[in-house]
Amino acid sequence: MRRLSGGVIGLSCAAALAQGAPGNGSVTMYGVMDAASEISRSGRGSVLRLISGGNLGSRLGFRGTEDLGDGLSAVFRLEQGVNIDDGTLAQGGRGFGREASVGLSSRTWGTVLAGRLPTPYYVVHSTVDAFAWVGSGGLPSVVRSESASRPLLPLQTAARADNAIGYASPDWGGLQLRALGALGEGGPATGRAWSASARYAAGPFGLTLGHMRQEGANNANGRVQATVAGGSYDFGVARLFAGYTDEKNSCTTCTAGLARVTGASVSEFRLINLGARAPLGGLTTLIAQATRLQDRSRYAAPTGNRNTNWFAVGAEYNLSRRTMLYGTLGTIANHNGSRYALGSGTAAQPANAVASGDPRASTAQLGVRHLF
């Protein structure tokens, strides 16, 4: 991680990031580079691919602050996602698709930001997941792979809101509150959105509650709404995690990652997970998680029971405080044409990855992550 105080950054965006009087402000350049080799089997033989973001999404970012006095600061963040496997921009090719924000931060009252922002629901979701989104065990990795690849947790994987105003409280004795409202501004697919979360963490104990609602176009045409609840407890030898996630989608205009699954007037999936992270020797962490997946969607034609179980194991090994090797293995059963498939972290399985006949879908990867 590289820190630059006052003056001008010697990059192509130097002029835009120049600061005022020396000592009053600073800009930090940071990033994550993450790549993995993945092998998956879903009834079509073994498929091998190189992916970006098996542990954390690869990114390049700039964050800055200026001290305004009396505990008040001006702050900004510009963060772009990078597909390290081919060098393209993530988030649909946006210049700063992960975040583009500016605002004010008070040590007493908290932080208010405006721009493209991560949603409170997304921010707290990882705290109930033993894999914290990692590999084929992280909760966002499961999709329905038919003629299109549809995430079962569309609001979690969408992660961010445009035209948004967000608030994050200070840490009040372990409690932090977040809230966000997005204006929609007449988009052809979606309208207004709002999200809120509460996170309490003190000593070995943590509790999480989050909610989000995304309206369809013109603030009508159905909606996508999601809730997450759960927490964790550190017993010393291992930290146990338990979570409940429900996302229900009746939006008729939502497209791409927010679209409903094929054949459903309302798609709804519920995930109940129980997992653990166990440190070994200070450098290695073992991870395991079992998840019960319930399909509560309203299909136009009867489908039979598509509920199933999903199991995953993994390990992380720290080569240094910045560089880590990781690996996971996940497997999920298919029933009655469910066509569930497991990706790796932020890299979802593509369309038509699952063959007919309800094959078991399994995915493994080995990767390296570097922070700077």
Side-chain angles (χ1 to χ4, degrees), residues 172-188:
W172 291 321
L175 175 66
Q176 185 178 48
L177 306 178
R178 294 178 180 268
L180 175 144
L183 304 179
E185 298 189 3

Side-chain angles (χ1 to χ4, degrees), residues 4 32 60 126 142 198 201 204 213 226 257 264 301 322 333 361:
L4 306 109
V32 177
L60 174 66
S126 66
V142 64
R213 176 166 165 166
R322 294 183 179 180

